[in-house]
């Protein structure tokens, strides 16, 4: 069994959920992908995640997801922890991808609540238990009811954490702050609780959270990482100031479905081609104008972008 206590100690802070960059023809731009990972590590990001919601996994084939994981692992090269998203609406596919993550050498797997099919709590328990038991790898469950149409109940999560020792944490993209409080009450204070809601990144640290997996880290990785660093250092005012400073950016980056605004912003910054695969697409011109206007306050944009 993996050293779960060591995993719990190192899997803290800002785990950046990296986008999957595409070329104009829709193929994966692995060169840009590697550059993004290097930029994040140099910017202070504490760990890297790929092929989660922000990485457009439903737009990738299974083979592409495996290749993205392999590329990320090789690029990271053990400089920071690696936590790929391996979940799917298909149970066997989830099992396959989670085992691949283990083979590649991931530090943990982020496994989403299955989307679209709306399983019962009993079925969710069976699903996650079987996935956890199939690998010698720490598992972080990903609860995002706004995208899956199913909320993993605290009672179900608590039973899983008790029955499956390698289920060590949960990413809660859950706006119900009472729910996330009860996660630590019922699963134990050493259970890793991550915020997947941008406006709850700082508040979750205050109740004992382990960090955050924030889409906004794609655009300003150093600032999102600094929230955790400031909190860890006991500088509450700095953490609060960063929390409020990032709110306008957080708001505009969710004017359209994630990761469309992120890709538009990164395109404006010259880091990627702002391409998504259908049925996803870039935001409207009006939303892109809003993103550009807000983005100017956070990053230096190329002259041709600033002039627009």
């Amino acid at each position: 069994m993996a050293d779960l206590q060591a995993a719990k100690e190192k899997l803290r802070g800002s785990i950046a959920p990296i986008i999957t960059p595409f070329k104009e023809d829709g193929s994966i731009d692995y060169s840009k992908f590697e550059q993004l990972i290097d930029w994040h590590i140099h910017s202070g990001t504490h760990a890297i995640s790929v092929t989660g919601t922000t990485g457009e996994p439903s737009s990738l084939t299974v083979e592409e997801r495996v290749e993205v994981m392999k590329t990320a692992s090789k690029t990271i090269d053990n400089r920071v922890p690696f936590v790929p998203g391996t979940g799917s609406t298909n149970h066997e596919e989830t099992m396959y991808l989670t085992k691949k993550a283990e083979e590649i050498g991931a530090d943990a797997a982020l496994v989403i609540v299955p989307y679209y099919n709306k399983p019962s709590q009993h079925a969710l328990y069976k699903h996650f238990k079987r996935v956890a038991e199939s690998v010698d790898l720490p598992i972080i469950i990903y609860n995002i009811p706004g995208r899956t149409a199913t909320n993993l109940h605290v009672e179900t999560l608590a039973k899983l954490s008790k029955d499956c020792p390698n289920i060590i944490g949960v990413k809660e993209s859950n706006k119900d702050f009472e729910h996330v409080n009860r996660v630590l009450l019922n699963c134990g204070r050493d259970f890793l609780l991550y915020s997947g809601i941008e406006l709850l990144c700082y508040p979750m640290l205050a109740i004992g959270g382990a960090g955050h997996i924030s889409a906004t880290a794609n655009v300003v990785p150093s600032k999102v990482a600094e929230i955790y660093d400031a909190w860890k250092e006991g500088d509450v005012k700095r953490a609060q100031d960063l929390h409020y400073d990032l709110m306008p950016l957080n708001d505009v980056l969710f004017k359209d479905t994630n990761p469309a605004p992120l890709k538009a912003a990164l395109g404006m910054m010259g880091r990627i081609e702002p391409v998504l695969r259908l049925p996803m697409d870039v935001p409207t011109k009006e939303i892109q104008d809003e993103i550009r206007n807000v983005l100017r306050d956070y990053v230096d944009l190329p002259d041709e972008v600033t002039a627009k």
Side-chain angles (χ1 to χ4, degrees), residues 119-286:
S120 68
Q121 295 300 306
H122 174 66
L124 287 173
Y125 172 82
K126 292 178 67 176
H127 169 71
F128 284 114
K129 185 172 187 290
R130 187 171 177 226
V131 171
E133 290 177 345
S134 73
V135 291
D136 181 21
L137 183 70
I139 300 294
I140 298 167
I141 292 176
Y142 179 12
N143 189 30
I144 179 167
R147 300 281 285 242
T148 65
T150 301
N151 186 35
L152 181 67
H153 294 177
V154 171
E155 295 79 9
T156 307
L157 182 59
K159 183 169 173 55
L160 283 164
S161 68
K162 178 182 177 182
D163 295 347
C164 305
N166 61 326
I167 293 180
I168 63 170
V170 64
K171 174 186 176 181
E172 284 284 356
S173 293
N174 197 323
K175 293 184 178 181
D176 183 347
F177 201 57
E178 180 178 344
H179 171 101
V180 297
N181 276 267
R182 295 191 182 280
V183 166
L184 292 182
L185 176 66
N186 288 273
C187 296
R189 298 279 292 279
D190 66 337
F191 196 67
L192 301 181
L193 172 66
Y194 305 94
S195 176
I197 297 290
E198 276 58 34
L199 295 191
L200 294 183
C201 289
Y202 167 70
M204 276 204 204
L205 293 174
I207 64 169
H212 30 265
I213 306 176
S214 167
T216 302
N218 279 274
V219 176
V220 284
S222 59
K223 283 183 176 289
V224 175
E226 191 181 355
I227 293 175
Y228 178 81
D229 291 337
W231 176 259
K232 185 178 179 181
E233 293 164 9
D235 193 341
V236 174
K237 183 180 185 302
R238 181 159 61 105
Q240 290 176 336
D241 288 347
L242 286 161
H243 169 74
Y244 287 106
D245 177 59
L246 286 173
M247 283 180 67
L249 182 61
N250 289 330
D251 288 344
V252 80
L253 290 178
F254 286 86
K255 286 280 186 176
D256 197 351
T257 303
N258 181 46
L262 287 181
K263 286 196 161 183
L266 287 167
M268 293 171 194
M269 294 164 65
R271 293 201 173 269
I272 65 165
E273 293 296 329
V275 178
L276 294 91
R277 289 178 176 175
L278 292 171
M280 300 289 287
D281 198 8
V282 294
T284 63
K285 181 182 181 303
E286 290 74 18

